[in-house]
């Protein structure tokens, strides 16, 4: 999850170019500890690395590269976690090794085993933790180990309980590094230290996000394409979800819709900038829905929205002009004023909660689409990838985004989506763990 | 919410504004040419003749003009300071540092009225005005129907008998009507007597008459749609002389009420596109209405900065915030393009706000918002990060997710907090989109307009006024001025020229002083006004009404200095003149001026004689002293007037003796003398005259005569209309004629057109060099004028003290006000003699 409102104007202007060396960044150095320098050449991480191939690297980078190659067995100890602590949700990815030898099994300490069992044998944890089983990546080779990648989420307000659990399971005794990103990595750093005796390795969320996106896309989704789009988005009948090959992804506009929205222009693996952001994101949708309908979960809000009719709530162009406003080429169905009908008391009294939920969803989604479209035009990029948990089980928004982008750009812009919507930050954090020397 | 009272455009009418230009049927105007000057209107925001107690309730009065720039103060704000971005209104998105955000209220009034110009088939321009699309269709008006119309229609629809053209804008809840009409009002005229064979000694110099004059006046009215039938009936009954067959209509309601209008009025309804009207209106306003645009900066000492009218208004991005948001790129007068929009606008605030807070009225929502804490509802960066997001440099106070904290069913949030959060969300969003569009289209200027801006608590952060959105009739009237007004061609940089020396909205101490000063002088002014019409039965009564009205305005200004736009000494003076006019005191000083001119003329010869007896260098100094001494004669200074009545010649000498000894407070006399000695004669001098009587006759004319003798041509510019005891153009004609009869130099100069008399186009005791009569400007160019002389406090100190010219200039004045003298570091009767040469 991402913040944010772009604020001061200045900061976003600088493209955040990072060489591989710089990529190693402070967090990694901090966590290097024993200095063993375990490299990881396996799987997609290597693929991603090699994509950067012959580019000049900084010295540190190239040294660690060599080390990694030569000492590939020297990888970080299990368990392998990547954590993304957002404003609303915590995303946790866990790599479950499936190639554990009997010898290994024997050596495996008890609490490590119990963590593995606990995570893999359940699909729900406590009352709020959920494992997205359908997203599980099977038979993945990561750092030379084969296994499954699990995707787990729980609300950020349960963070204390999570830390408590870590403490009870003596997580700290495993001597592992917990790589975390998202704002919560900073906010809860102290709690991890005091309650769980855990030193977090804090990572930048945007770095992790991009890394995660590129990695997951490269390994695919259990043989399927991770990336997809909607064909004929403007035609409700013929609209269908189709795989998209994101092989040559750059340049790419990455729109991460968490509680808030961040928009990144990505020019290469390690050259990107945050273009802007907005505070009208998933949190706004859910927050407003709670206030307007009294619902208590995101799923409930979406479910209500799916049954509502936003045109009762919004004032459309045709409500004002009787039809299309031809002079500006505005179609009659376009929303002229979100919630515009709610200025009238009679109409306020006649709408249902479902209608309100739907209008909220449409409003937020259109606004994101509009800002994304402007950014794409400003940056001269025609592929826009939407990620973030706002899109989870949210077909309405995805289709609307696809539609809006296509319609308003007259087919120039393409909206793309990824199956693992909100988990890329966490995946990026896990990769940072494996990448760390 | 600091400074809650600073809501400028909230209230009532800006009276001080001088003139605006507006298109007129008779004006040849090439379509598409942006820079064509249009015949001006005399703006006279008259609430005036309405006896209803409007002034006491600012909310009820009309008005115009929001404020403006201060280009000279260069306060166009670059956007993008640190911190609090969430509270600041449009946030600056990536790359927008260079984009200057100018918040403009396109609204010409406190409410969201705007002026629209319509073009009809003949290429004539119509003016209509329109309130922004205000949502509330259907429900509009419900909130306040309990308030009935407080004014009878005949006080609303003034001068309807002669109405010529109609334009109507029917919105969701309000109807705006504009019409041109002719009105009669009194003007003072002077006329030379035929003196042949009469005893000149005992006759007044000239005759003063008060005549009725007919002026074209533009009327603006708005009222609730509920009253549309009543109003149409009234119009029909009173529309007697019109030949109009067509009524121009725009706005969504034009469709709905078309039949009704056609049936009631028997006029054909001609529909106009709303957007075209909006743009034309916006151009008109930006170009013509001073103080229309203001910049707002949060947390600065002066939150509002008014912008002067920049002649280069194009290209700009117009962000019109109505129920939704329209974003229009305006390239020239006639070329504009809708480039985008957003459905999240004022309607969203209102609709969603009503749902969240169960508050029905827009204004109440704004009120709620002003009291709320958005941080209770919004998820801030620090809520996510525990602090700032260092790598991106995002402050912890930025909003990460609007309403991000309300994602729980079991917590109650206050109405105030939700309203505030909503307001932040919407205004940030609009600002962001505007910036993105501006960036995409490479535009530097963004004007925000529409009803959502009005008193917008985030853009303005203040909402203390409570204008009821629906409940009243508002009126605006503008009189057309017969001649176009233009910049003085000699201004060094017309785009940065600001007439006024001190901005009283900035300077609390000065404001307090001047308001008190005007209050104290008010009784005297009213008395003099009454005395000027001894034969009129109701003069006393009108004088009292004038006094009351002006007093009320002064009181309003004490509370809300921004009430009428930027507050300056000029605006105070001009407002007073407007008020006097309004109560039919077109020229209270006419008799005094007449007498004074007669007396001074008698002394002219001897003054010239004594000057001619001096050697060259002495004479130059005596001329300057004479000019300054003449300027001491101001009927404000009672001591001076006593002396004058008994013995004018002595009075003039007496005045000279009162002048400060050199070195003067501002003294560049030596450079001036040097210039006269060493340099070639000036080609042509432009002199702005000040007072009647001694000043013009014994001060200015000898000086003019000397210039003429040197071979310098002289353009003598006097006010078109009366203001205090300032000499008017028509008076100057008579006076000059009389002097010419006595003095061969003046006579031959007149004959050979080396001495030219022109009118300034103004009726102000001050001088706005960006609004001068076009004839004057033409002449100045033709004669290759290379010297500008401005005399008097009003023209050289209160205004133009810092004005820079392309040519040499002289600014002379005697400071006849001890407070001001003190402030400038001198004493009363200190002398300002400012001779300036432009740097090469």
């Amino acid at each position: 999850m991402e913040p944010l409102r772009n604020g001061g104007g200045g900061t976003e202007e600088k493209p955040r170019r990072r060489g591989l060396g710089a990529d190693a960044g402070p967090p990694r150095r901090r966590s290097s500890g024993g200095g063993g320098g375990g490299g990881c050449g396996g799987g997609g991480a290597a693929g991603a690395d090699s994509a950067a191939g012959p580019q000049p690297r900084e010295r540190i980078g190239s040294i660690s590269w060599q080390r990694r190659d030569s000492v590939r067995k020297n990888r970080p100890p299990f368990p392998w976690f990547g954590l993304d602590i957002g404003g609303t949700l915590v995303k946790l990815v866990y790599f479950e090794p499936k190639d554990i030898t009997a010898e290994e099994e024997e050596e495996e300490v008890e609490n490590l085993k119990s963590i593995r069992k606990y995570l893999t044998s359940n699909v729900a944890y406590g009352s709020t933790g959920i494992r997205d089983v359908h997203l599980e990546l099977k038979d993945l080779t990561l750092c030379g180990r084969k296994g499954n990648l699990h995707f787990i989420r729980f609300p950020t307000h349960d963070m204390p309980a999570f830390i408590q659990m870590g403490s009870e399971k003596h997580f700290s005794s495993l001597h592992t590094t917990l790589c975390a990103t998202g704002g919560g990595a900073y906010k809860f750093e102290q709690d991890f230290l005091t309650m769980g005796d855990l030193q977090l390795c804090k990572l930048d969320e945007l770095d992790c996000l991009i890394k995660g996106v590129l990695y997951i896309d490269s390994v695919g989704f259990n043989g399927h394409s991770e990336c997809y789009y909607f064909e004929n988005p403007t035609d409700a009948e013929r609209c269908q979800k189709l795989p998209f090959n994101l092989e040559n992804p750059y340049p790419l506009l990455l729109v991460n819709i968490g509680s808030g929205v961040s928009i990144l222009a990505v020019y290469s693996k390690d050259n990107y900038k945050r273009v802007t952001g907005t505070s009208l994101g998933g949190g706004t949708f859910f927050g407003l829905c709670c206030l307007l309908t009294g619902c208590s979960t995101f799923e409930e809000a979406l479910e209500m929205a799916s049954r509502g009719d936003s045109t009762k709530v919004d004032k459309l162009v045709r409500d004002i002009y009787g039809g299309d406003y031809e002079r500006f080429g505005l179609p009659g169905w376009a929303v002229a004023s979100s919630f515009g009908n709610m200025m009238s008391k009679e109409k306020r009294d006649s709408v249902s909660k479902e209608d309100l939920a739907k209008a909220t969803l449409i409003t937020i989604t259109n606004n994101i689409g509009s800002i994304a479209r402007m950014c794409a035009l400003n940056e001269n990029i025609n592929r826009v990838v939407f990620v973030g948990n706002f899109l989870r089980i949210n077909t309405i928004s995805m289709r609307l985004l696809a539609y809006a982008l296509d319609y308003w750009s007259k087919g120039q812009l393409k909206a793309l989506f990824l199956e693992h919507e909100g988990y890329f930050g966490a995946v990026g954090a896990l990769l940072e763990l494996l990448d760390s020397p | 919410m600091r400074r809650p009272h600073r809501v400028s455009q909230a209230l009532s009418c800006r009276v001080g504004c001088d003139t605006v230009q507006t298109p007129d049927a008779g004006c040849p105007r090439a379509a598409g040419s942006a820079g064509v000057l249009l015949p001006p209107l005399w703006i006279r925001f008259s609430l005036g003749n309405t006896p209803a107690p409007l002034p006491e309730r600012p909310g009820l009065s009309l008005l115009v003009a929001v404020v403006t720039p201060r280009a000279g103060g260069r306060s166009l704000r670059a956007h993008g300071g640190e911190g609090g971005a969430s509270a600041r209104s449009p946030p600056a998105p990536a790359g927008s540092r260079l984009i200057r955000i100018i918040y403009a209220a396109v609204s010409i009034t406190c409410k969201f009225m705007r002026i629209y110009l319509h073009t009809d088939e003949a290429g004539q321009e119509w003016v209509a005005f329109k309130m922004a699309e205000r949502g509330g269709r259907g429900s509009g008006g419900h909130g306040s129907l309990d308030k009935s119309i407080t004014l009878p229609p005949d006080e609303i629809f003034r001068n309807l008998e002669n109405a010529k053209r109609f334009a109507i804008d029917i919105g969701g809840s309000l109807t705006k009507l504009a019409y041109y009409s002719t009105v009669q009002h009194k003007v003072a005229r002077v006329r030379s007597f035929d003196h042949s064979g009469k005893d000149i000694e005992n006759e007044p110099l000239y005759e003063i008459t008060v005549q009725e004059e007919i002026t074209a006046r533009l009327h603006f009215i708005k009222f609730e749609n509920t009253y549309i039938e009543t109003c149409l009936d009234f119009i029909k009954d009173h529309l007697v002389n019109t030949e109009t067959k067509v009524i121009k209509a725009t706005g969504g309601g034009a469709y709905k009420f078309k039949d009704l209008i056609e049936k009631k009025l028997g006029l054909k309804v001609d529909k106009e596109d709303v957007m075209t009207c909006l743009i034309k209106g916006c151009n008109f306003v930006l170009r013509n209405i001073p103080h229309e645009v203001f910049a707002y900066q949060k947390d600065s000492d002066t939150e509002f900065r008014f912008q002067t009218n920049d002649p280069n208004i194009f290209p700009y991005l117009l962000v019109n915030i109505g129920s939704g948001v329209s974003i229009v790129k305006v390239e020239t007068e006639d070329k504009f393009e809708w480039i985008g929009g957003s459905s999240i606008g004022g309607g969203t605030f209102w609709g969603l706000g009503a749902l969240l807070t169960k508050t029905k009225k827009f204004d109440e929502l704004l009120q709620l918002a002003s009291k709320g804490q958005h941080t209770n509802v919004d998820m801030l960066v620090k809520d996510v990060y525990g602090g700032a997001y260092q790598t991106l440099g995002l402050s912890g106070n930025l909003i990460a997710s609007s309403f991000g904290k309300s994602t729980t069913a079991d917590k109650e949030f206050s109405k105030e907090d939700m309203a505030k959060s909503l307001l932040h969300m919407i205004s940030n969003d609009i600002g962001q989109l505007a910036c993105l569009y501006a960036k995409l289209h490479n535009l530097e200027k963004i004007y925000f307009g529409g009803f959502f801006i009005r008193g917008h608590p985030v853009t303005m952060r203040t909402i203390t006024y409570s204008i009821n959105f629906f409940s009243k009739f508002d009126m605006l009237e503008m009189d057309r001025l017969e001649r176009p007004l233009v910049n003085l061609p000699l201004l060094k940089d017309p785009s940065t020229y600001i007439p006024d020396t001190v901005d009283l909205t900035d300077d609390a101490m000065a404001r307090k002083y001047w308001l008190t000063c005007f209050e104290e002088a008010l009784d005297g002014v009213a008395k003099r006004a009454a005395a000027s019409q001894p034969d009129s039965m109701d003069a006393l009564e009108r004088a009292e009404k004038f006094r009351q009205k002006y007093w009320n305005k002064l009181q309003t200004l004490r509370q809300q200095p921004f009430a009428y736009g930027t507050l300056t000494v000029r605006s105070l003076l001009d407002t007073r003149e407007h008020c006097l006019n309004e109560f039919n005191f077109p020229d209270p000083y006419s008799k005094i001026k007449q007498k004074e001119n007669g007396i001074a003329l008698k002394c002219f010869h001897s003054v010239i004689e004594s000057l001619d007896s001096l050697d060259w260098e002495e004479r130059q100094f005596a001329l300057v002293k004479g000019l300054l001494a003449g300027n001491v004669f101001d009927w404000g200074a009672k001591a001076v007037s006593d002396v004058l009545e008994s013995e004018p010649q002595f009075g003039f000498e007496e005045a000279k003796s009162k002048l400060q000894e050199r070195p003067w407070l501002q003294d560049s006399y030596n450079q001036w003398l040097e210039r006269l000695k060493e340099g070639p004669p000036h080609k042509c001098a432009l002199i702005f005259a000040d007072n009647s009587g001694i000043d013009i006759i014994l001060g200015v004319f000898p000086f003019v005569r000397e210039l003429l003798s040197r071979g310098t041509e002289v353009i003598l510019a006097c006010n078109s209309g009366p203001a205090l005891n300032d000499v008017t153009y028509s008076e100057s004609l008579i006076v000059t004629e009389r002097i010419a009869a006595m003095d061969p130099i003046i006579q031959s100069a007149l004959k050979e057109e080396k001495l030219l008399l022109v009118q300034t186009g103004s009726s102000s005791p001050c001088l706005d060099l960006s609004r001068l009569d076009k004839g004057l400007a033409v002449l100045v160019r033709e004669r290759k004028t290379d010297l500008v002389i401005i005399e008097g406090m009003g023209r050289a100190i209160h205004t133009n003290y810092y004005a820079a010219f392309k040519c040499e200039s002289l600014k002379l004045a005697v400071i006849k006000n001890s407070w001001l003298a003190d402030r400038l570091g001198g004493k009363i009767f200190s002398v300002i003699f400012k001779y300036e040469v432009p740097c090469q």
Side-chain angles (χ1 to χ4, degrees), chain B residues 86-105:
Chain B
S86 60
R88 185 175 64 211
S89 219
S96 70
R97 276 231 161 127
L98 296 177
I99 299 179
R100 296 180 302 174
I101 308 271
I102 303 167
Y103 299 99

Side-chain angles (χ1 to χ4, degrees), chain A residues 1-13 16 18 85-88 182-184 186-187 204-206 259-261 274-280 283-284 286-288 290-292 294-296 315 320-321 325 327-328 330 335-340 342-346 348 356 363 367 370-371 373-375 377-379 408, chain B residues 80-82 85 88 91-97 133-139 142 252 273-276 323-325 336 338 341-344 346-348 350-352 354-356 360 377 379 381-386 389 391-394 398-404 406-409 413 418 425 428-429 432-433 436-437 439-440:
Chain A
M1 111 92 240
E2 304 277 331
L4 324 176
R5 180 113 208 98
N6 84 71
T11 51
E12 299 82 5
E13 287 185 41
R16 306 174 67 230
R18 287 163 183 246
I85 311 167
T88 312
Y186 297 80
K187 188 177 175 182
D204 181 84
E205 60 180 291
L206 300 182
S259 304
V261 181
R274 182 174 185 276
V275 180
T276 187
T278 165
S279 67
L280 282 85
T284 314
F286 184 32
L288 281 174
C290 289
L291 294 172
L292 293 171
C295 67
S296 52
K315 185 174 289 216
I320 297 173
Y321 293 98
Y325 187 23
R327 189 186 168 95
F328 293 156
L330 279 176
V335 182
S337 175
S338 295
F339 287 86
M342 296 298 94
M343 291 183 282
S344 144
K345 185 168 186 322
E346 301 90 84
R348 277 202 297 277
L356 292 173
T363 301
N367 191 59
S370 178
I371 291 173
R373 185 173 64 89
M374 292 308 300
C375 291
L377 291 173
N378 270 328
E379 300 301 323
W408 294 111
Chain B
E82 286 305 310
R88 185 175 64 211
S96 70
R97 276 231 161 127
E133 161 76 41
R134 87 244 73 265
R137 260 165 236 275
S139 72
H142 282 223
D273 179 72
V274 174
M275 247 329 136
T276 313
S323 301
V325 178
F336 64 89
W338 185 87
S342 164
S343 66
I344 300 184
T348 314
W350 195 349
L352 199 44
L355 288 168
L356 291 172
K360 295 180 194 110
V377 183
M379 182 186 287
V381 167
K382 67 180 172 206
D383 295 323
V384 181
Y385 274 79
Y389 182 0
T391 26
L392 283 181
L394 298 180
L398 291 174
I399 303 176
S401 175
S402 296
F403 288 91
S406 66
T407 54
T408 158
F413 294 90
M418 290 189 290
M425 175 179 106
N428 281 339
D429 193 57
Q432 174 168 32
L433 276 171
L436 286 169
Y437 277 102
K439 191 182 171 202
L440 187 63

Side-chain angles (χ1 to χ4, degrees), chain A residues 291-353:
Chain A
L291 294 172
L292 293 171
T293 71
C295 67
S296 52
T297 65
F298 181 73
E299 291 76 5
E300 197 185 334
L302 275 182
E303 199 275 328
M304 280 178 134
S306 70
R307 286 183 283 123
D309 176 4
S310 63
T311 63
K312 289 185 182 154
V313 179
D314 294 338
K315 185 174 289 216
L316 307 187
V317 168
R318 67 166 177 255
D319 294 335
I320 297 173
Y321 293 98
D324 296 352
Y325 187 23
E326 280 155 23
R327 189 186 168 95
F328 293 156
L330 279 176
W333 51 258
V335 182
S337 175
S338 295
F339 287 86
N341 282 339
M342 296 298 94
M343 291 183 282
S344 144
K345 185 168 186 322
E346 301 90 84
K347 292 193 178 165
R348 277 202 297 277
D349 294 341
S350 71
V351 295
S352 67
K353 290 180 171 183

Side-chain angles (χ1 to χ4, degrees), chain A residues 3 42 53 57 71 85 127 135 211 218 223 237 252 268 305 376 400 417:
Chain A
R57 296 151 174 245
V71 214
I85 311 167
S127 57
L135 292 178
K211 203 163 181 158
S218 71
E237 302 282 296
L252 173 78
S268 74
L400 184 57
F417 304 92

